[in-house]
Amino acid sequence: MSFMTVSDSAARTPSGIAVSGVSRAFGSVFALLDATLTVPAGSVTALIGPNGSGKTTLLLMLATLLTPSTGTIRINGHDPVTEPERVRAIMGWMPDTLGSWPSLSARAALQTTGRMYRMTREQAAVRADELIALTDLDNFADRPSRVLSRGQKQRLSLARALVHSPGVLLLDEPASGLDPAARASLRQLLRRLAGDGTAILVSSHVLAELDEMADAAVFLADGRTASPEQVAAAGASARAWRIRSLDEAALERALAAAGVVGALVQVLGVDQLGTLVRVENEASAAALLHNLVLRGVPVCDFGPAVGNLEHTFLDLTRETGHGIAPNDSEATK
Ligand SMILES: Nc1ncnc2c1ncn2[C@@H]1O[C@H](COP(=O)(O)OP(=O)(O)OP(=O)(O)O)[C@@H](O)[C@H]1O
Ligand SMILES: [Mg+2]
């Protein structure tokens, strides 16, 4: 592929990220209590959790910038604690804020980063040009990075994470500050990198976007990762669907009629986008739609009110007794 200039095929085995029982305390406060997850090579995994749930803390430990209190981490088989150099050579890190050299241009910053990865001056210059094109920074590449807009800084930060064509990519809120076109390019770029074998872990609050981009999701709440069983149970729970009709009164009448509103369907309310109903599962959603159409309701929009990840996230972080409680780190301090 075009932007793999550094070969690290040897370092790619065993590939991906493996985290087991990791915790991290700051004094008496646990920022992370128990994180267990894997990110296989060639896939994008979403890291989802409320503010303060430990996402950045976890990513910092994967990126060799923080030591775990307990547990083990392996990046392509290497331990970030005992082999930080080897991990840094194969890992790209995009932090949530760009800590760049403010007076250097984007191009110079990328070239300098390339030199730090031991590229020759020529290699670093070629790589910087490639990345500027890749992240659509052409028009801003020669301005000092301090004058870049937030979205442009994000793109520079992404470009910098990719300088050495890492086999493992860690991104903390990469989409924040990006306009819709830049978000779409980010999605495409991450899919392409995963297609080339990169293991990607990406934290974000834009869950609808992650739905389209991620192969798997890790949910963090209160410093703990949810187990696959908890995630499956939350994903399968009853959810809200939104219905819009060209004739709202006809919809209201049909929903109120016996046989439509029953054990399976419950009207939750009406908002500016339509009527929200609680539906037990997809089969009852299909039955409801069928019933509405039979009754002559001109339905023009019918679908889940939130995406899969958002639904699972909301369900997991509600007080459900699933074991991962809603995050309230202030209360636990
Ligand atoms: N250096 C530190 N010293 C003390 N507490 C910390 C430190 N770093 C993080 N914490 C605490 O650990 C918890 C997890 O923080 P972290 O930044 O990992 O959350 P996050 O999931 O990235 O949140 P956000 O969505 O807001 O970015 C928070 O309660 C935070 O206050
Ligand atoms: Mg964070």
Side-chain angles (χ1 to χ4, degrees), residues 2-5 125-135 163 165:
S2 58
F3 41 87
M4 295 291 288
T5 55
V126 169
R127 185 64 180 147
D129 290 348
E130 281 173 3
L131 290 168
I132 286 163
L134 190 70
T135 53
V163 162
S165 306

Side-chain angles (χ1 to χ4, degrees), residues 50-57 59 96 172-173 203 205:
N51 291 136
S53 56
K55 300 180 299 295
T56 297
T57 303
L59 289 168
D96 54 356
D172 199 1
E173 303 278 346
S203 84
H205 288 128

Side-chain angles (χ1 to χ4, degrees), residues 44-253:
V44 179
T45 295
L47 179 60
I48 298 167
N51 291 136
S53 56
K55 300 180 299 295
T56 297
T57 303
L58 173 61
L59 289 168
L60 285 170
M61 290 190 281
L62 298 178
T64 77
L65 301 171
L66 198 64
T67 318
S69 301
T70 62
T72 55
I73 299 173
R74 293 291 178 274
I75 307 285
N76 283 5
H78 300 293
D79 184 344
V81 179
T82 57
E83 308 167 272
E85 268 90 36
R86 300 207 60 168
V87 170
R88 282 177 206 155
I90 52 175
M91 180 267 307
W93 163 236
M94 179 179 171
D96 54 356
T97 47
L98 175 77
S100 185
W101 305 283
S103 57
L104 286 191
S105 67
R107 190 185 308 279
L110 292 173
Q111 289 171 348
T112 306
T113 307
R115 297 285 286 151
M116 287 175 172
Y117 284 108
R118 301 200 174 89
M119 291 179 185
T120 64
R121 204 171 291 282
E122 292 69 32
Q123 282 172 332
V126 169
R127 185 64 180 147
D129 290 348
E130 281 173 3
L131 290 168
I132 286 163
L134 190 70
T135 53
D136 221 4
L137 276 172
D138 307 73
N139 294 334
F140 323 100
D142 296 303
R143 300 188 192 166
S145 47
R146 70 168 180 278
V147 307
L148 297 181
S149 76
R150 176 158 159 67
Q152 291 159 355
K153 280 185 182 143
Q154 283 294 90
R155 288 189 248 163
L156 172 57
S157 182
L158 174 65
R160 205 177 49 174
L162 296 173
V163 162
H164 55 310
S165 306
V168 172
L169 195 54
L170 308 170
L171 308 135
D172 199 1
E173 303 278 346
S176 74
L178 296 185
D179 63 35
R183 282 174 186 230
S185 320
L186 173 70
R187 255 197 328 266
Q188 285 160 12
L189 174 61
L190 295 188
R191 286 310 328 169
R192 199 160 84 229
L193 291 168
D196 290 330
T198 310
I200 302 174
L201 182 61
V202 50
S203 84
S204 175
H205 288 128
V206 191
L207 299 185
E209 203 162 76
L210 288 173
D211 250 334
E212 292 172 31
M213 180 161 76
D215 303 293
V218 171
F219 294 88
L220 249 185
D222 237 4
R224 293 179 202 278
T225 45
S227 70
E229 295 75 29
Q230 288 170 325
V231 173
S237 65
R239 64 195 302 184
W241 287 58
R242 184 174 276 118
I243 310 168
R244 211 154 54 82
S245 163
L246 296 177
D247 181 346
E248 289 297 332
L251 174 63
E252 209 177 304
R253 278 196 304 276

